[in-house]
């Protein structure tokens, strides 16, 4: 799938997948609003995820998805 086709497939749809993998395919400055509700590393066990990472790993992961949110959000957009 071409990048433009992929981007078009995201519009008005709910996407399930790895957020970093998805955001990395989205063009710069192309999204009006980005919103995040990440796991907060509180050592909470969910059905398919255990929320316990080493602090350095967790902070690096947060920097990655925040950087992608900033990159894809339009200058006139909101995070």
């Amino acid at each position: 799938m071409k990048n433009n086709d992929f981007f078009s497939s995201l519009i008005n749809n709910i996407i399930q997948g790895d957020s970093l993998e998805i955001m990395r395919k989205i063009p710069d400055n192309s999204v009006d609003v980005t919103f995040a509700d990440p796991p907060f590393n509180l050592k909470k066990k969910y059905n398919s995820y255990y929320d316990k990472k080493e602090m350095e790993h967790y902070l690096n992961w947060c920097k990655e998805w925040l950087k992608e949110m900033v990159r894809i959000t339009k200058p006139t957009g909101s995070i």
Side-chain angles (χ1 to χ4, degrees):
M1 182 182 292
K2 292 181 184 175
N3 208 25
N4 282 345
D5 291 340
F6 174 78
F7 184 62
S8 295
S9 74
L10 301 178
I11 297 172
N12 296 321
N13 285 303
I14 296 172
I15 309 303
Q16 182 178 354
D18 182 296
S19 60
L20 279 171
E21 288 178 19
I22 303 290
M23 285 192 291
R24 286 178 178 141
K25 296 178 182 177
I26 297 174
D28 295 356
N29 304 315
S30 61
V31 178
D32 292 306
V33 175
T34 52
F35 175 83
D37 185 17
F40 292 102
N41 211 36
L42 300 174
K43 299 179 176 91
K44 189 171 180 180
K45 186 166 183 157
Y46 299 93
N47 288 337
S48 62
Y49 180 78
Y50 187 47
D51 189 24
K52 181 183 178 184
K53 297 181 185 293
E54 293 296 324
M55 188 55 65
E56 184 176 347
H57 178 74
Y58 178 75
L59 292 174
N60 286 334
W61 175 73
C62 287
K63 288 176 187 176
E64 286 184 64
W65 61 259
L66 281 165
K67 178 180 161 188
E68 287 301 313
M69 285 179 73
V70 169
R71 182 187 65 75
I72 67 174
T73 304
K74 293 177 181 177
T76 57
S78 295
I79 295 177

